[in-house]
Amino acid sequence: MIDEIKKKVKYNQQCPYIATICRHMLDFDFEKLCSVTLSNLNVYACLICGKYYQGKSINTQAYIHSLEQDHHLFMNLQNTKIYCLPDNYEVVDHSLEDIQYNLDPKFNNLKELDDNSEESRALDGTTFLPGFVGLNNLSKSDYFNVVMQALCRIKPLRNFMIFLQYQKSATEPFDYNCLLSQRFSELTRKIWNPRNYKGHVSPHELLQAVTLKSNKQFKIGQQSDPMHLIIWFLDNLKKELLHINKINTIISDCFQGELQYEWYKPLKNAIGYQPTPIIEQKSFFYLSLDLPSTPLQKDGTQKALIPSISIQELIKKYDGFTNTDSADGRRRYTITKFPKYLILHMKRFIKNNFFMEKNPTIVTFPLIDLDLSQCLNLEQQNVKYNLIANICHEGTAKVGIYKIHVKNEANNQWFQIQDLHRQNI
């Protein structure tokens, strides 16, 4: 019975239309929706014009397109199989493997990614360095791009997302419960793809997934704070990965630390704080650092004075002795467990009763060996961190752009990436 079924399958390695393929027209970064029906079920990419169409049987959109436009080769966007229409036979040819690879890049030796300093060449002749490619700005999405660029530097997270496996279904190709992790996995593999047809990548599918799952808290055309996105993204990515791999802890393993804080509540009807604190334990994914207030005075040249402070000084907020006052009392923070990767956030934007202000304070920091054991007066601990990514804002509180600085460990070269633009620094 099995042999009879196999005989009915149309299969041909020698297809006369392979030479009609236009690789420069192919772009697999956008949503996998039929350009006519907008359905995401059983979608095929036309390998001649690059458009997406549904189905391959008689009277489907792909079938009609093949007759009307004389375009005959289509690739299934779920399983990467290639068919010739309207004859409807599968085409298997080694010359097509690069197309299938670009739709679904796969990696074997991840060490090569970190040791590589040689640039690849795109179809248009431009060169790019895998892992350090630009991302399209989809209208005020520079905040989104820098976050994704930063997260792709975290080796354990990057490696996990590259090899992430999830169950694909022909009837339900996009599971809402793991949509975020699927899209992030795809974007990570495309960013590190050494055989990409283009020297840049579009994060369109992942941003659409974030828009959907955040109830439009983050969306195309609306500027947001990268820190707000990082908090939301890591929290929701962690939930999804727990759904896929019931005991997975990659997010916690990379970013989660623990701290203890003493909370002194204000006295009622008096000035001061209660002598006995409330002691609580708390886990964290990032540490917030408070910048000093911008001075109001100006010097003789009428230029505003821009203060400068070291990051070691700011981190003393968590030494267990420094007081942090707020409307609900006074707190002293002590870090009890350090994460493998430490995210630090300098709060530059402050909203007063009238408008948003940006604190221009310059923060100095070492590129390697940031020793927290000295900053926090730790005993018998050697806690050092090297900088791997730095997100910065250029402009005013009302008008500005986000950039990121990242390091290629293969040759210690630092790059500044702003959307599609990359330059050495």
Side-chain angles (χ1 to χ4, degrees), residues 7-18:
K7 290 179 182 178
K8 295 180 181 180
V9 177
K10 292 185 177 181
Y11 174 84
N12 191 340
Q13 286 188 322
Q14 302 300 322
C15 177
Y17 300 107
I18 289 180

Side-chain angles (χ1 to χ4, degrees), residues 89-202:
Y89 60 82
E90 183 179 355
V91 179
V92 179
D93 193 285
H94 289 303
S95 66
L96 304 178
E97 291 179 355
D98 65 305
I99 299 176
Q100 296 168 315
Y101 181 90
N102 268 277
L103 173 62
D104 187 21
K106 299 184 184 305
F107 299 82
N108 294 319
N109 187 357
L110 294 182
K111 189 176 184 300
E112 294 179 354
L113 300 181
D114 299 315
D115 295 338
N116 179 50
S117 59
E118 296 184 4
E119 297 200 339
S120 301
R121 189 170 296 275
L123 290 180
D124 62 1
T126 59
T127 58
F128 65 93
L129 184 63
F132 301 87
V133 296
L135 299 180
N136 280 340
N137 189 321
L138 305 175
S139 180
K140 299 182 179 179
S141 63
D142 49 300
Y143 77 96
F144 183 89
N145 291 345
V146 293
V147 169
M148 296 307 124
Q149 292 278 16
L151 293 180
C152 284
R153 311 300 127 198
I154 311 300
K155 289 184 184 179
L157 178 61
R158 179 202 65 186
N159 297 348
F160 180 87
M161 299 310 299
I162 284 178
F163 291 121
L164 178 65
Q165 297 292 327
Y166 51 88
Q167 190 68 33
K168 290 186 178 181
S169 169
T171 56
E172 293 293 339
F174 308 115
D175 184 354
Y176 180 82
N177 293 321
C178 55
L179 184 60
L180 203 64
S181 51
Q182 289 182 32
R183 293 292 176 256
F184 184 47
S185 173
E186 292 168 358
L187 180 63
T188 302
R189 286 184 284 127
K190 289 177 179 178
I191 287 176
W192 288 93
N193 178 12
R195 298 161 59 185
N196 204 334
Y197 288 157
K198 313 182 303 295
H200 60 273
V201 177
S202 175

